[in-house]
Amino acid sequence: MSVEPAKPTDLGDSDHLEVLGYQDNFNRSMSLWANFALGFTYLSPLVGVYSLFAVALTIGGPPSIWWIVIVGAGQLLVSLVFGEVVSQYPIHGGIYPWARRLWGRRYAWMAAWIYIWAMIVTITAVAGYGSGFVASLFGIAATPEVVLGFSLGLLLLALVFNFTGTKTLARVAQIGLAAELIGVIGVGLYLLIFQRKQEFSVFFDTMNVEGDGSYATAFIGAAIAGLFLFYGFEACGDVAEEVENPGRRIPKAMILTILVGGVSALFSFGGYVLAAPDLASIVSGEDADPIPGILEATLGPVGAKVFLVVAVLAFISCVLSLQAAASRLLYSFARDGMIPGHRWLAKVSANKVPRNALIVACTVPAIITLLIYVNPAITLPVTAFAVLGIYIAFQMVVLGALRQRLRGWKPAGTFSLGAWGLVVNIVALAYGLFAIWLMATPGSSGDFVADYAVWIGLGVVLVSGFGYLFIARPDRKSDAPAGDAIEVAERLRQRRVETAAMTTVD
């Protein structure tokens, strides 16, 4: 009969890393709230709602708001699984080291390869969306040249901020958090209380989007309202070695990111729906970009301009957070010798940031931005892959955690779900597979590229990843630990016993 281990006490951060086989090379200057701000500005409900509001209403009508609740609940379960994993493995890079320690080198290679490209594409997409806000703020038409210039400017600005160190990253993330909360919850509440044009019952009114078919089909199609919103919380773990007491703080930051992000998205989406003076034109697709009109009608010209300032701050912080998370993943990948140019990418600057990895996290999105400018047709397959890739990488970690649990792993971090861990893990995996199915289901427009854009993007990444893996065999060049969740849990518990005994003697 197995006995549930006693609740663990904290090890020193350096001692914990030593058990995992690493040295403490970074400044631990990121607080719980700064870590939460990083995850929240990466998740960015303002960006997500603005980008998907019209599309979701056109497909599923006002009831599409309920996908925010459904997906938020599913991703909360995923964040709980991640919380147990990061509490045992508070290592830079998140997805890659977690997959490696839960399963093995080749498994981690593919998880990280998929996730790296998904993050790079996400950085590109967010910079592109943000450029439109910057153009509107300055009253400039968003021509392809203007979008290109502002996108590259946002990428470069984020790089400069990231170069200055973790404290600047934390400060800008907190400014971005404040901007997000004002722009999402503040504006959403104002619209709900003072500018409501629709009844609350509208959230149960399909407004005939289903036509002669079943509304179930339309509702499933509107899942993008939530699926494209709830990721970013894993970024809290990407910078684990820069957070003090990460085993306790990062799981809390992840959970806060989901909960606050979900509430923010509900207020924002719901506020725009209820304040829309002509909701029918949005649902019918006649008004393809309705939010500026809603803001102009409810906040006035000055209020709308203030909102644009807040939105631009949020986008800057979002790009900054994405870039920082991607660079830490690249650094972690390189530290274990698992990626081309690993010696260069694994270097840390004097102010304790992985500058070379940051350069890559800025340069590659800039190159993709240039390619999109030259050939806008690649925008769809490139961006469609991003969210699917992130969900696949997430579920590779969830699956790895479940595999270890079935082999007898009892997480040894200071954050633990106890007896509920197995149940939460199974339900989180089931939810993730359902979400992947929703995103990967081909469209029915008749245009092959448009209908299979997600598969095209995923196929390119998988073929290139497997090709490099089996030709270059990076897994054979790395001797870093892998598949050791059970052994590490035992070592951590033993180290705590030894530390407690030494403390008692002293």
Side-chain angles (χ1 to χ4, degrees), residues 473-490:
R473 295 313 302 263
D475 55 305
R476 292 182 177 176
K477 301 173 184 176
S478 172
D479 59 359
D484 61 356
I486 295 174
E487 294 83 357
V488 166
E490 292 173 353

Side-chain angles (χ1 to χ4, degrees), residues 401-409 422 426 486:
L402 180 59
R403 174 176 177 263
Q404 289 292 344
R405 287 183 199 278
L406 296 177
R407 295 176 63 199
W409 175 51
L422 179 61
I426 291 172
I486 295 174

Side-chain angles (χ1 to χ4, degrees), residues 146-170:
V146 168
V147 169
L148 173 64
F150 282 134
S151 296
L152 295 176
L154 284 173
L155 292 171
L156 185 60
L157 180 62
L159 179 66
V160 171
F161 279 135
N162 269 311
F163 266 8
T164 61
T166 305
K167 287 186 177 180
T168 301
L169 170 63

Side-chain angles (χ1 to χ4, degrees), residues 142-472:
T143 64
E145 291 75 20
V146 168
V147 169
L148 173 64
F150 282 134
S151 296
L152 295 176
L154 284 173
L155 292 171
L156 185 60
L157 180 62
L159 179 66
V160 171
F161 279 135
N162 269 311
F163 266 8
T164 61
T166 305
K167 287 186 177 180
T168 301
L169 170 63
R171 290 193 189 102
V172 176
Q174 288 171 317
I175 292 171
L177 171 64
E180 287 269 2
L181 293 178
I182 293 170
V184 177
I185 293 183
V187 172
L189 279 174
Y190 173 77
L191 296 178
L192 284 169
I193 297 171
F194 300 108
Q195 298 293 334
R196 187 158 61 88
K197 307 291 193 304
Q198 314 291 334
E199 297 297 325
F200 284 100
S201 60
V202 75
F203 295 118
F204 300 93
D205 183 356
T206 69
M207 300 186 72
N208 201 36
V209 293
E210 69 274 23
D212 296 329
S214 169
Y215 179 69
T217 303
F219 185 67
I220 289 175
I224 56 171
L227 292 172
F228 283 24
L229 178 65
F230 283 100
Y231 58 94
F233 58 90
E234 80 286 355
C236 300
D238 288 336
V239 295
E241 293 173 46
E242 294 166 72
V243 180
E244 188 177 357
N245 195 5
R248 290 189 184 278
R249 290 181 172 178
I250 292 176
K252 292 178 182 178
M254 288 181 174
I255 294 168
L256 278 172
T257 297
I258 293 291
L259 295 178
V260 179
V263 171
S264 301
L266 282 171
F267 276 128
S268 182
F269 194 102
Y272 289 136
V273 169
L274 295 176
D278 188 2
L279 186 59
S281 68
I282 302 172
V283 174
S284 67
E286 294 176 20
D287 188 352
D289 189 18
I291 291 180
I294 294 173
L295 293 173
E296 187 81 21
T298 54
L299 302 180
V302 175
K305 186 69 73 173
V306 171
F307 175 83
L308 283 175
V309 172
V310 170
V312 169
L313 289 173
F315 270 97
I316 291 171
S317 184
C318 185
V319 175
L320 181 80
S321 300
L322 280 162
Q323 208 177 78
S327 69
R328 271 57 172 189
L329 174 59
L330 285 167
Y331 165 81
S332 179
F333 214 20
R335 178 170 58 180
D336 289 350
M338 293 281 279
I339 194 171
H342 59 88
R343 288 186 178 86
W344 181 76
L345 286 168
K347 289 182 178 179
V348 179
S349 66
N351 63 337
K352 305 296 185 181
V353 296
R355 284 198 173 187
N356 295 340
L358 279 167
I359 291 171
V360 173
C362 176
T363 304
V364 178
I367 292 172
I368 297 174
T369 299
L370 288 168
L371 291 174
I372 290 174
Y373 170 74
V374 173
N375 183 11
I378 70 171
T379 303
L380 182 61
V382 166
T383 56
F385 156 73
V387 178
L388 177 64
I390 287 174
Y391 271 76
I392 289 174
F394 278 18
Q395 292 308 308
M396 289 181 74
V397 173
V398 174
L399 178 61
L402 180 59
R403 174 176 177 263
Q404 289 292 344
R405 287 183 199 278
L406 296 177
R407 295 176 63 199
W409 175 51
K410 295 185 184 298
T414 47
F415 174 83
S416 174
L417 299 174
W420 285 99
L422 179 61
V423 175
V424 170
N425 205 152
I426 291 172
V427 179
L429 181 62
Y431 156 76
L433 294 175
F434 171 65
I436 289 170
W437 172 76
L438 286 174
M439 287 182 283
T441 301
S444 57
S445 68
D447 183 334
F448 179 83
V449 173
D451 291 342
Y452 288 86
V454 171
W455 286 102
I456 292 170
L458 180 61
V460 170
V461 171
L462 288 178
V463 169
S464 60
F466 276 117
Y468 181 82
L469 177 61
F470 289 107
I471 293 173

Side-chain angles (χ1 to χ4, degrees), residues 4 10 29 31 43 49 103 117 176 186 195 217 231 272 288 391 393 463:
E4 188 69 28
D10 288 341
S29 56
S31 65
L43 182 142
V49 170
W103 200 296
W117 282 107
Q195 298 293 334
T217 303
Y231 58 94
Y272 289 136
Y391 271 76
V463 169

Side-chain angles (χ1 to χ4, degrees), residues 12-72:
D13 295 336
S14 297
D15 290 340
H16 196 143
L17 271 186
E18 183 182 340
V19 174
L20 302 179
Y22 297 109
Q23 293 181 337
D24 210 350
N25 292 325
F26 292 86
N27 293 325
R28 293 188 180 273
S29 56
M30 189 170 284
S31 65
L32 167 64
W33 293 109
N35 190 241
F36 159 60
L38 177 70
F40 187 85
T41 53
Y42 179 165
L43 182 142
S44 190
L46 186 151
V47 174
V49 170
Y50 189 98
S51 304
L52 299 166
F53 179 73
V55 176
L57 285 182
T58 302
I59 298 172
S64 57
I65 192 175
W66 298 113
W67 276 110
I68 296 175
V69 178
I70 295 169
V71 176

